Amino acid sequence: MSARANILARIRTRQGKAVTPRASERETVAREIAARAAGPRPGMPADLQARFIERARNLATTVDELPDLQALPRAVATYLQAQSLQPSAVCWPAFADLDWAAQGLSVEARPAMANDLVGITGVFCAIAETGTLMMCSGSDNHAVTSLLPETHIAVVPRRRIVSGMEEGWALLRAELGAMPRAVNFVSGPSRTADIEQTVTLGAHGPYRVHVLLLS
Amino acid sequence: MHFKARAGGKLADVKLQTALKKLQGNFVKGRADRITELDNFPEIRDAAAEIRDRALANLDLYLDTFEKNAAARGTVVHWAETAADVNRIVREIAAQHGVRKVVKSKSMVTEECGLNDALIDAGLEVVETDLGEYILQLAKEPPSHIVAPVVHKTRDEVSDLFAEKHNAPRLTDIPALCREAREKLRPHFLSAEMGVSGANFIVAETGSTLIVTNEGNGRMVTTLPKVHVAITGIEKVVPTLEDVATLIRLLPRHGTGQSITNYVSVTTGPRREGDSDGPEHFHVILVDAGRTKLIGGDFQAMLRCIRCGACMNHCPVYQSVGGHAYGWVYPGPMGSVLTPTYVGLQNAGDLPNAATLCGQCHVACPVKIPLPELLRKLREQQFDLKLKTWPEMLALRAWGWLAAHPWLYGTVMRIKVRLLKTMADERGMIRSLPFGSGWTDRRDFPAPQGRTFREMYKEARSKA
């Protein structure tokens, strides 16, 4: 007998069931999964965008406005300058054609590598309840770009702010159909409190997460 | 060594006592603050317990569904009956892919298995990358808490350890120590061929595995090496992504007092065509190692556990002695139930008695596990299996017999309270009890007033 068969048989025997599942049991499980029943939801304010901003800031994410996509290079340059950071970055291919050079920035559209200091990404959507970015991996959405650099700048279209994780999943099913390899929910800069329970920003991931809210 | 003997030493450890005080302040208050953000917290908690029960009620079929959906996305699913099987499977995967270095993100299941030693014995380099676990790997110590593994260590100890092991100047500032670890570990993420993680949940609907982390090491481990192996207990399955959303409202709040952890990472299969990142090979190992023994009996509710650590954070015994006193991987109330049920009551020392049954663990549990009741059942089993010392067995048997004979019981008690009253000092306290030195060695015993409750009740009734 395989380990698999042994484990499944032990489960069923201990629950007083016959070793082979009945069709009705399989139907129950299929039905419970297909129902995708939502759990009870906590109360949320009507203004999801304001809630997102408030929660994101509580998590040490900084938030700024972006009137249109063409203004992204200027917004990035302003932020990097204010933080005294070098004017170079990598970005998702979606932002490759923007006029970065005009703002004195050197930006390459490729996945981040270990020594890249700034990564510029979009998001799949953002979650108001917790101030969270929902990132889906894909050929043009490099997961490493929000992970390896010390600074992560994320462009969040205002219309992509949803209420909770449930709406994020619904959007994913509607737009992508199936799960991408990785879905990362990002809530502020990486942190650790392992030494004396003292919260320190910048563990293995970014030290800074800066959100640009695209109108 | 039994819990009692270890606990004595821990109570006298001044550094540990200082460290444990902080845990109460941060995690206990943090949970209390964060659950107030949920206006319908009791309903969410009920729903969370229901999700875990729903999964356990048809556990075999949810695992089967998980396996099918995971395999459809290119994940290789393995089943391990024992800890030794887990270690063997990981070694085989490593050999198959020519792995020399393994980076790990925090996983308590691999602590159960002793995976690190098994891999090192097979000639592999193993690097723990969670800051706390990395510190423990350098110090060659086991974790003392399932969420905050290094809670027993002070900053000074970490400074000394890093200076010695890194052969570097001694830093004392916590952010500087964190950066030192970051810079030491970054090259390991980039050079390792295999990443090993646990899973907080596995999702039947999509065949996904999920981890919650704060540091980002979990994302590195599951993204950068060419092979990712996720190792998790069979009980971690949940039916749907909606269920994940509900459980994630509770897990970080109860674990670290956060509304959400920095990262919730859901991985489904290896890298896709056209992807520039992600592992080329993704393996999941589903582990029994004692879990099926809890199914279908008095202890099935324990398998609801989502490993948040709230029970230990709220436990007056854990708060006093820390995690190492419990002797195995899982400390606190959940550990006092899991250790005897996984490894056998006869191998678990006196863990079922390492609790005051005050009920705080049950109140704090996000999935409503009746931990005090389970501990009480284990105490009964200890008695039935004759695992108690003979004086204890005799005393319990005698008391049991007496309690079943009400008239005799009343008479004996009337004599006893009068006798004890005569032993009281001027403060009404007894300084030393015959056969009760375990109690009176370290504190005085309040003496009875001279009459039993039943006597007083009878008198009050006759007056009325």
Side-chain angles (χ1 to χ4, degrees):
Chain A
M1 288 274 272
S2 68
R4 178 185 191 280
N6 287 340
I7 292 171
L8 294 180
R10 268 203 296 278
I11 295 171
R12 295 190 61 80
T13 309
R14 291 205 55 112
Q15 291 183 330
K17 298 172 184 169
V19 171
T20 315
R22 291 192 312 260
S24 63
E25 290 177 58
R26 291 194 182 277
E27 280 158 26
T28 303
V29 166
R31 195 175 53 241
E32 284 175 359
I33 289 177
R36 290 172 184 156
R41 303 287 297 270
M44 286 282 290
D47 187 345
L48 295 182
Q49 299 189 7
R51 163 79 175 223
F52 171 78
I53 295 168
E54 178 215 325
R55 287 302 160 119
R57 285 184 173 146
N58 284 347
L59 297 167
T61 299
T62 51
V63 183
D64 213 341
E65 298 291 332
L66 190 64
D68 58 73
L69 203 54
Q70 299 310 313
L72 180 60
R74 181 195 292 272
V76 169
T78 308
Y79 173 75
L80 294 180
Q81 212 158 27
Q83 300 288 321
S84 312
L85 297 171
Q86 288 170 24
S88 63
V90 293
C91 72
W92 280 4
F95 309 123
D97 297 335
L98 295 172
D99 193 358
W100 299 101
Q103 297 297 327
L105 295 170
S106 144
V107 175
E108 292 177 49
R110 57 166 173 80
M113 292 189 290
N115 297 322
D116 290 317
L117 291 173
V118 179
I120 304 167
T121 74
V123 296
F124 178 71
C125 68
I127 290 165
E129 183 181 330
T130 47
T132 298
L133 311 177
M134 181 172 173
M135 321 278 300
C136 293
S137 74
S139 52
D140 287 335
N141 306 340
H142 313 131
V144 287
T145 306
S146 62
L147 178 64
L148 290 171
E150 292 191 1
T151 303
H152 172 205
I153 300 175
V155 177
V156 178
R158 279 182 177 273
R159 61 185 165 78
R160 299 292 287 187
I161 297 175
V162 299
S163 179
M165 193 183 269
E166 285 88 341
E167 284 72 24
W169 294 133
L171 209 54
L172 185 154
R173 288 183 188 119
E175 295 181 0
L176 305 182
M179 291 290 276
R181 182 195 68 79
V183 179
N184 282 296
F185 294 89
V186 176
S187 304
S190 73
R191 68 190 68 201
T192 179
D194 272 344
I195 303 176
E196 293 194 343
Q197 314 236 315
T198 304
V199 176
T200 307
L201 295 185
H204 293 294
Y207 283 78
R208 299 164 210 90
V209 174
H210 186 57
V211 163
L212 290 167
L213 279 177
L214 180 63
S215 298
Chain B
M1 193 174 24
H2 274 202
F3 174 80
K4 222 174 187 173
R6 281 187 300 257
K10 299 299 174 192
L11 284 168
D13 183 337
V14 178
K15 275 185 192 164
L16 176 69
Q17 292 300 323
T18 317
L20 288 170
K21 289 265 164 354
K22 287 198 178 169
L23 186 75
Q24 291 170 49
N26 292 327
F27 284 179
V28 173
K29 186 177 181 303
R31 169 188 170 275
D33 289 347
R34 292 284 86 76
I35 62 173
T36 60
E37 293 172 347
L38 304 172
D39 54 345
N40 56 346
F41 168 66
E43 285 132 80
I44 294 177
R45 186 167 173 247
D46 286 343
E50 186 276 328
I51 289 166
R52 300 296 297 126
D53 279 343
R54 178 159 28 102
L56 293 170
N58 283 300
L59 182 60
D60 58 314
L61 291 177
Y62 278 114
L63 288 169
D64 183 63
T65 309
F66 166 80
E67 183 185 40
K68 279 200 181 78
N69 289 327
R73 307 311 297 264
T75 304
V76 185
V77 179
H78 307 257
W79 300 72
E81 289 190 79
T82 63
D85 290 346
V86 174
N87 297 343
R88 176 182 50 78
I89 293 166
V90 180
R91 281 198 304 256
E92 284 169 6
I93 297 169
Q96 186 190 333
H97 297 294
V99 172
R100 282 158 304 174
K101 187 190 284 186
V102 178
V103 280
K104 281 185 70 203
S105 107
K106 189 169 165 39
S107 151
M108 294 309 291
V109 176
T110 63
E111 295 284 340
E112 279 179 49
C113 301
L115 178 67
N116 291 11
D117 287 341
L119 295 182
I120 290 164
D121 287 348
L124 294 163
E125 185 185 356
V126 181
V127 184
E128 290 283 357
T129 64
D130 171 83
L131 178 59
E133 295 284 350
Y134 174 66
I135 291 167
L136 293 177
Q137 192 182 25
L138 292 182
K140 296 191 168 40
E141 285 176 30
S144 70
H145 188 286
I146 63 169
V147 174
V150 70
V151 65
H152 60 282
K153 275 209 177 314
T154 62
R155 172 202 331 205
D156 274 347
E157 290 175 282
V158 177
S159 294
D160 290 343
L161 189 70
F162 276 12
E164 184 206 326
K165 302 285 179 180
H166 294 162
N167 201 10
R170 186 178 184 279
L171 303 176
T172 53
D173 176 47
I174 291 176
L177 289 167
C178 292
R179 187 174 267 279
E180 185 177 343
R182 176 189 172 106
E183 285 170 5
K184 278 280 166 200
L185 287 166
R186 185 58 77 97
H188 288 302
F189 290 122
L190 298 164
S191 59
E193 298 90 2
M194 180 191 273
V196 170
S197 74
N200 293 90
F201 302 112
I202 61 176
V203 188
E205 174 194 356
T206 55
S208 310
T209 63
L210 177 151
I211 52 174
V212 298
T213 65
N214 279 311
E215 297 183 3
N217 63 316
R219 286 185 66 190
M220 302 267 188
V221 162
T222 60
T223 306
L224 300 176
K226 70 174 181 185
V227 185
H228 171 206
V229 183
I231 305 173
T232 193
I234 49 171
E235 82 284 15
K236 291 291 181 69
V237 69
V238 297
T240 66
L241 294 170
E242 277 68 18
D243 295 331
V244 166
T246 297
L247 291 164
I248 291 293
R249 289 197 174 91
L250 298 186
L251 176 55
R253 286 186 164 90
H254 287 74
T256 50
Q258 291 173 281
S259 307
I260 188 160
T261 46
N262 260 94
Y263 302 111
V264 176
S265 302
V266 186
T267 44
T268 314
R271 80 163 67 179
R272 310 281 160 78
E273 210 177 309
D275 279 1
S276 60
D277 45 35
E280 292 160 37
H281 308 279
F282 184 27
H283 296 257
V284 174
I285 306 178
L286 301 174
V287 186
D288 181 345
R291 287 160 175 79
T292 46
K293 286 193 273 182
L294 279 75
I295 304 247
D298 287 341
F299 296 95
Q300 181 169 307
M302 192 60 223
L303 293 177
R304 282 187 218 144
C305 179
I306 59 173
R307 304 292 193 266
C308 68
C311 60
M312 58 198 76
N313 299 338
H314 289 74
C315 174
V317 176
Y318 180 95
Q319 285 170 1
S320 306
V321 299
H324 286 159
Y326 292 79
W328 197 54
V329 178
Y330 298 106
M334 56 85 81
S336 294
V337 175
L338 281 183
T339 305
T341 45
Y342 282 10
V343 308
L345 202 49
Q346 63 284 2
N347 301 319
D350 40 10
L351 282 185
N353 300 293
T356 63
L357 302 188
C358 71
Q360 276 293 306
C361 50
H362 185 193
V363 174
C365 178
V367 287
K368 305 174 80 170
I369 300 170
L371 286 155
E373 203 180 299
L374 300 182
L375 287 165
R376 201 162 17 232
K377 282 195 179 121
L378 285 169
R379 291 180 185 187
E380 286 169 22
Q381 288 187 1
Q382 277 187 316
F383 184 82
D384 292 341
L385 293 168
K386 302 188 171 55
L387 290 171
K388 302 215 162 242
T389 59
W390 72 262
E392 217 179 332
M393 294 287 291
L394 192 67
L396 283 168
R397 211 175 285 278
W399 189 87
W401 183 84
L402 197 61
H405 297 78
W407 180 83
L408 198 60
Y409 181 87
T411 309
V412 170
M413 286 303 147
R414 274 198 297 278
I415 298 167
K416 194 171 149 191
V417 293
R418 284 169 176 80
L419 201 64
L420 285 174
K421 191 186 174 188
T422 65
M423 293 167 64
D425 63 12
E426 65 282 359
R427 301 165 304 143
M429 301 296 272
I430 298 171
R431 293 203 182 164
S432 164
L433 268 179
F435 309 112
S437 59
W439 177 282
T440 50
D441 274 357
R442 298 189 191 275
R443 71 213 125 156
D444 293 340
F445 185 82
Q449 302 296 303
R451 287 194 307 156
T452 65
F453 172 78
R454 282 164 75 187
E455 286 178 273
M456 289 190 280
Y457 183 75
K458 210 168 166 186
E459 188 184 299
R461 282 280 294 248
S462 67
K463 273 186 194 160

